[in-house]
Amino acid sequence: MNLTPNHKYKSKVVYMKKSLLVGINAKYIHSNLAIRYIQKYVQQNQNKEKNSILFKEFSINQDIEYILEEIMKTSADIIGFSCYLWNIEMIRRLSRNIKMIRPNVIIVYGGPEVTYTSVQEIESNTYVDIIVKGEGEKIFADILTHLDHLEKVKGITYRHQDKVIDQANGMGIDFSDVVFPYEPNLDHLEHRIIYYETSRGCPFNCQYCLSSVEKGVRFRPIEMVQKELQFFLDAKVPQVKLVDRTFNARREHAIAIMEYIIKKDQGLTNFHFEVAPELIDDDFLVCLSKARQGLFQLEIGVQSSNTKTLSIIQRKNDLEQIPQVVEKIKTLNNTHIHLDLIAGLPEENLSAFKNSFDYVYAMEPDQFQLGFLKILKGAGLFYVAKDYGIKYRDYPPYEVLSTHALPFEDVMELKVVEEMVENFYNSGLFNQTMRRLVNVYERPYNLYEALGRQWIDFGMHHVKHNKLDLYNFVYECILRLNVSDRMKEEYIDWLQMDYALNEKPKKQAEWMTMNFVESTLQRYLLEVLQEHHVWQEESGEYTTKQLSRMYHIDKIDNKNLLEALPLAHRIDARAREGEQGTYILINYGRRDFIHNNGEMVSINLG
């Protein structure tokens, strides 16, 4: 399509009424912040009589025919797509079909997947009319204003007659001009992650990340941020995930936000931040110490502990400082910590990666996120990938296949290790067991490598599994350990305990030896709890019979297990005839904020 003042459809522009913004998310629970920003900005800055703008959200897991039909039902004259590596192929297919149905529809692309290769994208795909480069709020509004004179719009690439015109980029928008995207309500977002940002840009220059392309950091005025945070708190949103690339890039800004959240905390909403550990100082930690358990989640991108690799990707990790900072945060016992690692970075072979793995594992993060390098268009590594022998998939998400240092076979091994970390570390289902099994091996990596080998040997990678399948798998792995039978029994006891801590064991495997506690003894144990003022809130709301169904109650004979159990209370009480011993009670209504395990109490009847 030639977008010129003399084009045959020029008269249509005068009467153009409707624009549609489309976000296609990776998962249903995600939400698209960009299209909401653009809609609000256009509504505030455009003549509503001339242009109306709405948005629709989908996920890549929905049927493409359904998405196409829903888009076409809007009868939009301009359709803008938010393009990312996970949705670009679907968007291209949709665009081709939209143009076949309605050739005069103007299709606009924007987003990181097309920003840095806009000329190639528009040359290769004749169904794309305009590409927005960079932040879309003002640019999209300018497109609507100057659709018949696109030469007036900065920051776009578009088709003019037989040529592709690439306009120079403009300045980034003043962040105070960006309209808060969620007011007046959070309709249709009840079960989705809410994304929000208080800054744009990043002070660092990591070569695998697109944030390094934009220089400088712009901050939203703190008064606006506080007002918008209050909106989330009043709405009792479960979680707000800040997409600031480095939340603590400016210490005063970060602390002011945290202090406000702590002051206004209603006990329900959780906030997730990505932080740079080298910028965490005593003032930040003092502020963090005032938060209730679970109010904040901190994500720290370690990425590698290999100094040569860190130099190449221009990341300045202080390898001594990071564990110290993590330990200080963990000591507060109120904040969920995520640590990230990237496999496939330049000059990091399998041996070096194992060192990085062990380095992160030793810090015992609450979530250990093992990802794989993606060669993003426009990022530094995109231009020098060949220098390091980086071969990557030629389709989204452009994930690494091999490097000079890491052959394909090693990448595949790490893929299995990643799955083992997700299943047996991050899931929270095996906390006690993994903490002990890791000591059997020379290094932490070897535990997950061994689990991965047996996962493949057992054919577990071919089918889906429920929780009990995973416990059965670990049981079989324990039986094959080169340790004494006594140690195997110890590990199996911990495996059973993990199973019980996660949920009430209504269904048990054949190897499980949980004890049945008869109803009369159950009632007596619950009376002991009341006498010692433990879990009184529940006891006032439910009958004894109901409580016994809500708790797991078991007799424990393993003294080593009893001494090491993560107990909230230890109670000594008088035994009745034939009931001597130690019993545990697990309350699933009270779960810890990190692993979601039930709270446990022991009662020793002697």
Side-chain angles (χ1 to χ4, degrees), residues 37-49:
Y37 272 143
I38 295 171
Q39 184 203 39
K40 291 292 186 180
Y41 187 90
V42 169
Q43 288 176 337
Q44 178 170 286
N45 293 278
Q46 291 285 312
N47 183 341
K48 294 181 182 179
E49 296 301 318

Side-chain angles (χ1 to χ4, degrees), residues 309-323:
T309 297
L310 292 171
S311 176
I312 293 170
I313 63 175
Q314 298 183 34
R315 187 173 182 86
K316 298 179 181 180
N317 283 355
D318 186 328
L319 298 177
E320 291 185 5
Q321 183 190 27
I322 292 174

Side-chain angles (χ1 to χ4, degrees), residues 175-176 178 196 220-229:
F175 206 0
S176 62
V178 174
Y196 177 63
R220 196 159 176 80
I222 195 63
E223 298 79 12
M224 298 180 72
V225 171
Q226 290 174 345
K227 179 182 177 183
E228 291 157 4
L229 291 172

Side-chain angles (χ1 to χ4, degrees), residues 56-69:
K56 281 185 172 292
E57 274 188 291
F58 306 95
S59 88
I60 59 173
N61 299 311
Q62 288 179 290
D63 184 75
I64 193 170
E65 298 303 321
Y66 166 77
I67 297 175
L68 177 63
E69 290 173 9

Side-chain angles (χ1 to χ4, degrees), residues 139-373:
I139 297 175
F140 196 87
D142 288 346
I143 289 171
L144 297 183
T145 300
H146 303 293
L147 192 58
D148 52 346
H149 291 285
L150 289 176
E151 70 276 6
K152 295 182 179 181
V153 182
K154 290 185 177 181
I156 64 170
T157 301
Y158 68 101
R159 212 180 305 279
H160 175 75
Q161 297 179 353
D162 295 327
K163 297 181 180 179
V164 173
I165 308 299
D166 187 34
Q167 296 283 77
N169 292 343
M171 297 293 290
I173 191 171
D174 187 325
F175 206 0
S176 62
D177 291 337
V178 174
V179 185
F180 182 62
Y182 295 110
E183 287 181 320
N185 55 54
L186 291 164
D187 287 351
H188 312 300
L189 288 171
E190 295 88 348
H191 304 293
R192 300 190 183 209
I193 298 172
I194 304 297
Y195 296 99
Y196 177 63
E197 62 180 342
T198 74
S199 66
R200 287 184 177 177
C202 183
F204 302 106
N205 197 35
C206 305
Q207 294 299 287
Y208 54 82
C209 180
L210 286 175
S211 296
S212 65
V213 179
E214 180 185 354
K215 304 305 178 185
V217 185
R218 288 166 290 146
F219 296 89
R220 196 159 176 80
I222 195 63
E223 298 79 12
M224 298 180 72
V225 171
Q226 290 174 345
K227 179 182 177 183
E228 291 157 4
L229 291 172
Q230 193 60 54
F231 174 84
F232 296 130
L233 291 165
D234 291 342
K236 298 180 179 178
V237 172
Q239 184 181 64
V240 178
K241 191 167 186 177
L242 269 69
V243 294
D244 301 39
R245 298 313 302 161
T246 306
F247 170 68
N248 59 334
R250 180 187 289 171
R251 182 175 63 90
E252 296 79 6
H253 181 81
I255 290 177
I257 290 171
M258 292 166 63
E259 286 180 340
Y260 184 85
I261 292 172
I262 292 168
K263 180 180 178 181
K264 301 292 184 176
D265 177 31
Q266 42 31 354
L268 297 171
T269 304
N270 160 272
F271 292 84
H272 181 105
F273 310 133
E274 291 189 38
V275 297
E278 59 267 41
L279 300 180
I280 293 179
D281 59 10
D282 289 341
D283 289 340
F284 187 96
L285 292 169
V286 168
C287 179
L288 190 63
S289 69
K290 301 173 186 176
R292 69 165 166 85
Q293 278 195 344
L295 178 59
F296 296 130
Q297 290 182 185
L298 300 184
E299 182 173 346
I300 296 174
V302 178
Q303 318 312 9
S304 175
S305 67
N306 185 308
T307 54
K308 185 177 182 180
T309 297
L310 292 171
S311 176
I312 293 170
I313 63 175
Q314 298 183 34
R315 187 173 182 86
K316 298 179 181 180
N317 283 355
D318 186 328
L319 298 177
E320 291 185 5
Q321 183 190 27
I322 292 174
Q324 294 171 5
V325 169
V326 170
E327 183 57 32
K328 288 177 181 178
I329 296 171
K330 288 168 66 73
T331 301
L332 300 177
N333 195 35
N334 66 351
T335 302
H336 202 283
I337 301 177
H338 294 211
L339 298 183
D340 301 345
L341 203 59
I342 297 177
L345 291 170
E347 302 305 318
E348 186 164 65
N349 59 22
L350 184 59
S351 176
F353 183 82
K354 290 178 181 181
N355 292 334
S356 294
F357 184 100
D358 294 347
Y359 172 79
V360 171
Y361 198 90
M363 290 183 266
E364 297 184 336
D366 302 315
Q367 287 282 302
F368 183 175
Q369 297 180 192
L370 170 53
F372 288 79
L373 177 66

